[in-house]
Amino acid sequence: MGEIRSDTVLPARREDVELHTADGVTLVGELALPADRDPVATLVTLHPLPTAGGFMDSHVLRKAANRLPALADLAVLRFNTRGTESPRGRSGGTFDAGGAERYDVAAALEFAEFRDLPHVWLLGWSFGTDLALVHGRDPLVEGLLLLSPPLRWSTEDDLRAWAEFGRPVTALVPEFDDFLRPEEAVRRFAPLTQAEVVPVAGARHLWVGESAVRRVLDEVVARVVPARSPLPTEHPAAP
């Protein structure tokens, strides 16, 4: 058994994919699946703000794909929103500050449905949380997992709409977030009556450090596949 470290990549079936939006844009991404069995649930991930360096390889999302297919039998779909580039490639289109990105979210969910991926949850980080809140109310989505939500583009009407939609919403809010800290988050999320705001002591917006990443992934798995939580810190395939 080896310790799972920041650079650990556990076994999975990894496939480069393309998503095709209703407005004619091609998005590049990756689907990671358990190596030798079907997934029990799915994370469709939405990355941080691309104009501030966010992309599908932003470290928490990359580590989710590197670990969770093996540790929790999860499928993890990552992709670059329009105009965003990563080592996987550049998605078509141009950044639209959360507007035309509604087509990107819809394309990801359509892909998950086409591939018969089970129990789909949206996992957004920063800008990705706004995309989830504004554009993610789809019958396929079983819940939201929000990392460092700034509530920059999301309105009270969006929050109320999610309250009516009724699906669970968990917001992980760092104690020292640059945009929205726990006390204010509780107040701002009040219209979304089923929202669970989880303060994370000592954490910052970017979730830097292995302890922060482990906390995020544990909290995610605890909501999506509770039987797999807490996650192990060692694995036979870890070097």
PDB file of all heavy atoms in Angstrom, residues 111-124:
ATOM      1  N   PHE A 111     -24.261  14.725 -22.893  1.00  0.00           N
ATOM      2  CA  PHE A 111     -23.253  13.676 -23.042  1.00  0.00           C
ATOM      3  C   PHE A 111     -23.431  12.618 -21.956  1.00  0.00           C
ATOM      4  O   PHE A 111     -23.391  11.411 -22.240  1.00  0.00           O
ATOM      5  CB  PHE A 111     -21.854  14.287 -22.972  1.00  0.00           C
ATOM      6  CG  PHE A 111     -20.742  13.273 -23.034  1.00  0.00           C
ATOM      7  CD1 PHE A 111     -20.229  12.874 -24.254  1.00  0.00           C
ATOM      8  CD2 PHE A 111     -20.222  12.724 -21.876  1.00  0.00           C
ATOM      9  CE1 PHE A 111     -19.210  11.928 -24.320  1.00  0.00           C
ATOM     10  CE2 PHE A 111     -19.202  11.783 -21.920  1.00  0.00           C
ATOM     11  CZ  PHE A 111     -18.694  11.386 -23.149  1.00  0.00           C
ATOM     12  N   ALA A 112     -23.606  13.060 -20.703  1.00  0.00           N
ATOM     13  CA  ALA A 112     -23.792  12.110 -19.609  1.00  0.00           C
ATOM     14  C   ALA A 112     -25.025  11.239 -19.837  1.00  0.00           C
ATOM     15  O   ALA A 112     -25.003  10.029 -19.589  1.00  0.00           O
ATOM     16  CB  ALA A 112     -23.908  12.860 -18.282  1.00  0.00           C
ATOM     17  N   GLU A 113     -26.082  11.857 -20.340  1.00  0.00           N
ATOM     18  CA  GLU A 113     -27.303  11.088 -20.608  1.00  0.00           C
ATOM     19  C   GLU A 113     -27.081  10.113 -21.756  1.00  0.00           C
ATOM     20  O   GLU A 113     -27.494   8.942 -21.679  1.00  0.00           O
ATOM     21  CB  GLU A 113     -28.450  12.040 -20.924  1.00  0.00           C
ATOM     22  CG  GLU A 113     -29.782  11.351 -21.097  1.00  0.00           C
ATOM     23  CD  GLU A 113     -30.925  12.329 -21.220  1.00  0.00           C
ATOM     24  OE1 GLU A 113     -30.693  13.466 -21.683  1.00  0.00           O
ATOM     25  OE2 GLU A 113     -32.056  11.956 -20.861  1.00  0.00           O
ATOM     26  N   PHE A 114     -26.418  10.556 -22.815  1.00  0.00           N
ATOM     27  CA  PHE A 114     -26.152   9.698 -23.972  1.00  0.00           C
ATOM     28  C   PHE A 114     -25.311   8.491 -23.582  1.00  0.00           C
ATOM     29  O   PHE A 114     -25.532   7.371 -24.082  1.00  0.00           O
ATOM     30  CB  PHE A 114     -25.456  10.504 -25.070  1.00  0.00           C
ATOM     31  CG  PHE A 114     -25.079   9.695 -26.277  1.00  0.00           C
ATOM     32  CD1 PHE A 114     -26.039   9.324 -27.205  1.00  0.00           C
ATOM     33  CD2 PHE A 114     -23.758   9.312 -26.485  1.00  0.00           C
ATOM     34  CE1 PHE A 114     -25.695   8.563 -28.319  1.00  0.00           C
ATOM     35  CE2 PHE A 114     -23.409   8.553 -27.595  1.00  0.00           C
ATOM     36  CZ  PHE A 114     -24.374   8.176 -28.525  1.00  0.00           C
ATOM     37  N   ARG A 115     -24.356   8.698 -22.670  1.00  0.00           N
ATOM     38  CA  ARG A 115     -23.484   7.599 -22.241  1.00  0.00           C
ATOM     39  C   ARG A 115     -24.084   6.784 -21.103  1.00  0.00           C
ATOM     40  O   ARG A 115     -23.432   5.876 -20.591  1.00  0.00           O
ATOM     41  CB  ARG A 115     -22.126   8.177 -21.828  1.00  0.00           C
ATOM     42  CG  ARG A 115     -21.308   8.767 -22.965  1.00  0.00           C
ATOM     43  CD  ARG A 115     -20.801   7.703 -23.930  1.00  0.00           C
ATOM     44  NE  ARG A 115     -19.866   6.823 -23.279  1.00  0.00           N
ATOM     45  CZ  ARG A 115     -18.527   6.974 -23.321  1.00  0.00           C
ATOM     46  NH1 ARG A 115     -18.007   7.990 -24.025  1.00  0.00           N
ATOM     47  NH2 ARG A 115     -17.736   6.133 -22.719  1.00  0.00           N
ATOM     48  N   ASP A 116     -25.313   7.078 -20.723  1.00  0.00           N
ATOM     49  CA  ASP A 116     -25.997   6.344 -19.644  1.00  0.00           C
ATOM     50  C   ASP A 116     -25.202   6.390 -18.340  1.00  0.00           C
ATOM     51  O   ASP A 116     -25.155   5.397 -17.586  1.00  0.00           O
ATOM     52  CB  ASP A 116     -26.255   4.886 -20.040  1.00  0.00           C
ATOM     53  CG  ASP A 116     -27.285   4.772 -21.152  1.00  0.00           C
ATOM     54  OD1 ASP A 116     -28.248   5.558 -21.140  1.00  0.00           O
ATOM     55  OD2 ASP A 116     -27.120   3.890 -22.022  1.00  0.00           O
ATOM     56  N   LEU A 117     -24.589   7.523 -18.046  1.00  0.00           N
ATOM     57  CA  LEU A 117     -23.860   7.668 -16.794  1.00  0.00           C
ATOM     58  C   LEU A 117     -24.875   7.837 -15.662  1.00  0.00           C
ATOM     59  O   LEU A 117     -25.821   8.618 -15.771  1.00  0.00           O
ATOM     60  CB  LEU A 117     -22.913   8.861 -16.864  1.00  0.00           C
ATOM     61  CG  LEU A 117     -21.817   8.757 -17.929  1.00  0.00           C
ATOM     62  CD1 LEU A 117     -21.008  10.046 -17.995  1.00  0.00           C
ATOM     63  CD2 LEU A 117     -20.899   7.556 -17.666  1.00  0.00           C
ATOM     64  N   PRO A 118     -24.678   7.132 -14.548  1.00  0.00           N
ATOM     65  CA  PRO A 118     -25.708   7.109 -13.504  1.00  0.00           C
ATOM     66  C   PRO A 118     -25.602   8.271 -12.526  1.00  0.00           C
ATOM     67  O   PRO A 118     -24.523   8.829 -12.309  1.00  0.00           O
ATOM     68  CB  PRO A 118     -25.420   5.786 -12.784  1.00  0.00           C
ATOM     69  CG  PRO A 118     -23.920   5.647 -12.890  1.00  0.00           C
ATOM     70  CD  PRO A 118     -23.574   6.206 -14.255  1.00  0.00           C
ATOM     71  N   HIS A 119     -26.714   8.635 -11.927  1.00  0.00           N
ATOM     72  CA  HIS A 119     -26.780   9.528 -10.763  1.00  0.00           C
ATOM     73  C   HIS A 119     -25.836  10.727 -10.911  1.00  0.00           C
ATOM     74  O   HIS A 119     -24.800  10.815 -10.258  1.00  0.00           O
ATOM     75  CB  HIS A 119     -26.462   8.746  -9.484  1.00  0.00           C
ATOM     76  CG  HIS A 119     -27.385   7.592  -9.255  1.00  0.00           C
ATOM     77  ND1 HIS A 119     -28.735   7.758  -9.028  1.00  0.00           N
ATOM     78  CD2 HIS A 119     -27.150   6.251  -9.241  1.00  0.00           C
ATOM     79  CE1 HIS A 119     -29.294   6.578  -8.866  1.00  0.00           C
ATOM     80  NE2 HIS A 119     -28.367   5.642  -9.007  1.00  0.00           N
ATOM     81  N   VAL A 120     -26.223  11.641 -11.767  1.00  0.00           N
ATOM     82  CA  VAL A 120     -25.359  12.769 -12.138  1.00  0.00           C
ATOM     83  C   VAL A 120     -25.463  13.900 -11.112  1.00  0.00           C
ATOM     84  O   VAL A 120     -26.564  14.369 -10.792  1.00  0.00           O
ATOM     85  CB  VAL A 120     -25.740  13.288 -13.538  1.00  0.00           C
ATOM     86  CG1 VAL A 120     -24.975  14.564 -13.865  1.00  0.00           C
ATOM     87  CG2 VAL A 120     -25.484  12.205 -14.586  1.00  0.00           C
ATOM     88  N   TRP A 121     -24.315  14.337 -10.632  1.00  0.00           N
ATOM     89  CA  TRP A 121     -24.188  15.514  -9.774  1.00  0.00           C
ATOM     90  C   TRP A 121     -23.291  16.528 -10.479  1.00  0.00           C
ATOM     91  O   TRP A 121     -22.328  16.147 -11.156  1.00  0.00           O
ATOM     92  CB  TRP A 121     -23.551  15.157  -8.433  1.00  0.00           C
ATOM     93  CG  TRP A 121     -24.429  14.356  -7.520  1.00  0.00           C
ATOM     94  CD1 TRP A 121     -24.912  13.092  -7.732  1.00  0.00           C
ATOM     95  CD2 TRP A 121     -24.919  14.761  -6.241  1.00  0.00           C
ATOM     96  NE1 TRP A 121     -25.673  12.697  -6.667  1.00  0.00           N
ATOM     97  CE2 TRP A 121     -25.698  13.699  -5.732  1.00  0.00           C
ATOM     98  CE3 TRP A 121     -24.769  15.916  -5.485  1.00  0.00           C
ATOM     99  CZ2 TRP A 121     -26.326  13.758  -4.499  1.00  0.00           C
ATOM    100  CZ3 TRP A 121     -25.392  15.990  -4.245  1.00  0.00           C
ATOM    101  CH2 TRP A 121     -26.159  14.919  -3.763  1.00  0.00           C
ATOM    102  N   LEU A 122     -23.607  17.796 -10.322  1.00  0.00           N
ATOM    103  CA  LEU A 122     -22.735  18.865 -10.816  1.00  0.00           C
ATOM    104  C   LEU A 122     -21.775  19.282  -9.709  1.00  0.00           C
ATOM    105  O   LEU A 122     -22.200  19.570  -8.586  1.00  0.00           O
ATOM    106  CB  LEU A 122     -23.554  20.075 -11.254  1.00  0.00           C
ATOM    107  CG  LEU A 122     -24.320  19.965 -12.574  1.00  0.00           C
ATOM    108  CD1 LEU A 122     -25.143  21.228 -12.800  1.00  0.00           C
ATOM    109  CD2 LEU A 122     -23.369  19.745 -13.749  1.00  0.00           C
ATOM    110  N   LEU A 123     -20.503  19.295 -10.041  1.00  0.00           N
ATOM    111  CA  LEU A 123     -19.457  19.749  -9.121  1.00  0.00           C
ATOM    112  C   LEU A 123     -18.823  20.998  -9.719  1.00  0.00           C
ATOM    113  O   LEU A 123     -18.066  20.922 -10.695  1.00  0.00           O
ATOM    114  CB  LEU A 123     -18.406  18.649  -8.926  1.00  0.00           C
ATOM    115  CG  LEU A 123     -17.143  19.044  -8.153  1.00  0.00           C
ATOM    116  CD1 LEU A 123     -17.471  19.489  -6.737  1.00  0.00           C
ATOM    117  CD2 LEU A 123     -16.138  17.894  -8.143  1.00  0.00           C
ATOM    118  N   GLY A 124     -19.162  22.159  -9.170  1.00  0.00           N
ATOM    119  CA  GLY A 124     -18.618  23.412  -9.664  1.00  0.00           C
ATOM    120  C   GLY A 124     -17.627  24.009  -8.694  1.00  0.00           C
ATOM    121  O   GLY A 124     -17.755  23.847  -7.480  1.00  0.00           O
TER     122      GLY A 124
END
